[in-house]
């Protein structure tokens, strides 16, 4: 039987890897344009509230399930909840597989822009030229697929290296560099004329903008930004030492995820307003706005290269965590070696991701429910599959296996009975109710 007995070498490594699973493009790529689409503060405030309530509770639950179950999402959930919860764990594995297929396409954009930075073609102060450059990239199915292949290959290489030597090392040393560069870009962006309007837009709260759609999207982004419902934290929890305090580590994951999202907003939105762009311009916002910032500062090409190196690393921490879920499943359930598991994923993900890569160009006419293939996968995974996985975790932790989850919560540090009961209430009642409301809004809203 293939073993997955790997373990994090430190608590910090676990926290950075867990937060890094979303701090990458989960924050930098998605948060700014989602905030733009959903009215700034009307999206941010519900997102923060969801994160520090059901978000943290579900992070605790997933990590506890993983540490007690010591296996893949399917294995751990089956050991604690029985066969039916094992099937739900398999669904989480499938969700991760789908997400990494289209996420790898976005990662390929990062590779393309990094190459542009090294050749001196990554910066400009002409927004139309940058829009055309981005549209030219994503609409070229062949080129898009080639960059998708490169990024997927990098992801698979890290996962083959294992937990400590691959995933942890990547997160531990390079994620802090990304934060430093984000701060540098924010400082420069805030000095641009008209930039403050972007800050006001980002944090201005108006009840008129608070809609069912913005709340649903805030909940969806909570699941996305904390990597909930896709089996990532269950898998990472299975590598966690018994000496690590789960609640405090989970809180740190949530804090870092929110911090990264807000920094991404401050990095992008001031420049959006300074250069007269639309705040709801879509996923390409980061690939249009950031080059304009670098184009307006001395040594812009150097900063651009550093930024896209770190953006690539950030993207890798996300894709690696998703692929690790599938790899752990294949090791535990199919008894494959790590290398064989990753190579099998590599082949199948390349072909599935190629469909997403072509969906912006030659195959843009093929739609499902009015969305191209890429957008359809993103929509169902973020708004349905991941919340469904979160619902399964809440039911398992709050109802089926609460006694052992409680033991994991207080195993290292004693918390007050009120704190433990609050976590239990959020898992047993609040989380399922909110997820069901999100489902209802997503289907009938």
């Amino acid at each position: 039987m293939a073993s997955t007995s790997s373990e994090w070498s430190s608590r910090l490594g676990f926290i950075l890897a867990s937060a890094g699973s979303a701090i990458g493009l989960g924050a930098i790529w998605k948060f700014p344009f989602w905030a733009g689409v959903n009215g700034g503060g009307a999206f941010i405030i519900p997102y923060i509230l969801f994160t520090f309530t059901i978000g943290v509770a579900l992070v605790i639950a997933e990590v506890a399930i993983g540490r007690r179950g010591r296996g893949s999402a399917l294995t751990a959930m089956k050991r604690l909840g029985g066969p039916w919860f094992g099937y739900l764990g398999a669904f989480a594995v499938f969700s991760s597989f789908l997400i990494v297929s289209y996420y790898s396409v976005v990662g390929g954009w990062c590779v393309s822009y990094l190459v542009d930075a090294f050749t001196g073609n990554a910066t400009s102060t002409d927004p139309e030229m940058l829009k055309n450059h981005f549209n030219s990239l994503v609409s070229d199915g062949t080129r898009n697929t080639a960059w998708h292949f490169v990024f997927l290959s990098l992801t698979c290489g890290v996962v083959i290296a294992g937990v400590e030597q691959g995933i942890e090392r990547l997160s531990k040393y390079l994620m802090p560099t990304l934060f430093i560069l984000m701060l540098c870009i924010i400082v420069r962006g805030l000095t641009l004329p008209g930039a403050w309007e972007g800050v006001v837009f980002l944090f201005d709260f108006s009840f008129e903008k608070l809609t069912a759609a913005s709340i649903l999207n805030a909940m969806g982004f909570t699941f996305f930004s904390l990597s909930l419902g896709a089996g990532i934290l269950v898998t990472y929890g299975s590598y966690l030492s018994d000496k690590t305090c789960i609640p405090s580590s989970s809180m740190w994951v949530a804090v870092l995820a929110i911090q990264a999202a807000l920094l991404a907003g401050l990095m992008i939105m001031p420049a959006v307003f300074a250069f007269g762009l639309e705040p709801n311009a879509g996923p390409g916002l980061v690939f249009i706005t950031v080059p304009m910032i670098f184009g307006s500062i001395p040594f812009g090409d150097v900063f651009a290269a550093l930024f896209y190196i770190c953006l690539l690393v950030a993207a890798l921490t996300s894709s690696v965590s998703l692929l690790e879920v599938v790899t752990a499943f294949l090791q535990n359930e199919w008894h494959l070696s790590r290398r064989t598991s990753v190579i099998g994923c590599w082949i199948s993900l390349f072909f599935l991701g190629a469909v997403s890569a072509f969906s912006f160009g030659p195959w843009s006419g093929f739609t499902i429910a009015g969305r191209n293939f890429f957008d359809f996968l993103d929509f169902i995974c973020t708004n349905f599959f991941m919340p469904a996985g979160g619902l399964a975790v809440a039911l398992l932790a709050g109802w089926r296996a609460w006694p052992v989850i409680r033991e994991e919560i207080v195993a290292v540090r004693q918390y007050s009975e009120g704190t433990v009961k609050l976590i239990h209430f959020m898992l047993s009642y609040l989380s399922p109710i909110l997820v069901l409301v999100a489902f209802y809004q997503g289907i009938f809203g």
Side-chain angles (χ1 to χ4, degrees), residues 280-337:
N280 59 350
L285 197 60
V286 70
F287 296 101
I288 297 170
T289 306
V290 171
M292 292 183 69
I293 298 175
F294 290 133
S296 64
I297 63 175
F299 306 106
D301 288 332
V302 175
F303 279 101
L306 290 173
F307 173 77
Y308 285 115
I309 288 172
C310 290
L311 187 64
L312 176 60
V313 169
L316 278 171
T317 61
S318 299
S319 61
V320 161
S321 63
L322 291 162
L323 185 56
E324 180 65 20
V325 173
V326 186
T327 301
F329 162 77
L330 293 175
Q331 289 183 272
N332 279 177
E333 300 300 322
W334 292 13
H335 313 316
L336 301 177
S337 68

Side-chain angles (χ1 to χ4, degrees), residues 8 16 27 29 37 74 100-101 121 135 169 194 310 382 393 396 400 402 404 416 424 436:
W8 305 110
L16 288 178
W29 164 52
V37 168
L74 185 154
V100 77
S101 73
N121 298 316
N135 290 333
R169 178 173 293 181
C310 290
T382 302
V393 166
L396 174 57
R400 176 72 171 167
W402 172 248
V404 296
S416 69
H424 190 200
L436 290 173

Side-chain angles (χ1 to χ4, degrees), residues 334-359:
W334 292 13
H335 313 316
L336 301 177
S337 68
R338 175 172 284 269
R339 180 176 292 273
T340 302
S341 300
V342 174
I343 291 174
C345 290
W346 194 353
I347 296 170
S348 54
L349 285 167
F350 170 72
F351 287 105
L352 181 60
V355 181
S356 289
F358 274 83
S359 67

Side-chain angles (χ1 to χ4, degrees), residues 200-273:
V200 172
F201 171 84
L202 193 62
F203 295 105
D204 179 53
F205 178 79
S206 171
F207 275 107
E208 289 77 18
K209 297 178 181 178
L210 188 64
T211 64
S214 68
I215 294 173
L216 169 65
N217 287 331
M219 174 174 284
F221 189 75
T222 296
F223 279 87
F224 189 91
S225 71
L226 292 176
S227 305
L228 296 170
I232 293 172
L233 293 172
V234 175
T235 304
Y236 278 9
S238 71
Y239 308 140
L240 191 62
S241 165
D242 291 331
K243 298 178 181 178
T244 300
C245 177
I246 290 177
S248 65
S249 298
S250 300
M251 183 61 75
W252 271 111
V253 171
V255 168
L256 288 175
I258 289 176
Q259 178 180 331
L262 294 179
L263 287 177
L266 286 171
M267 183 175 69
I268 300 298
M269 279 302 164
V272 165
F273 280 80

Side-chain angles (χ1 to χ4, degrees), residues 387-412:
L391 178 61
V393 166
L395 295 177
L396 174 57
W399 294 94
R400 176 72 171 167
W402 172 248
V404 296
I405 298 301
R406 190 186 191 286
E407 288 177 12
E408 290 294 325
I409 290 172
V410 298
V412 176

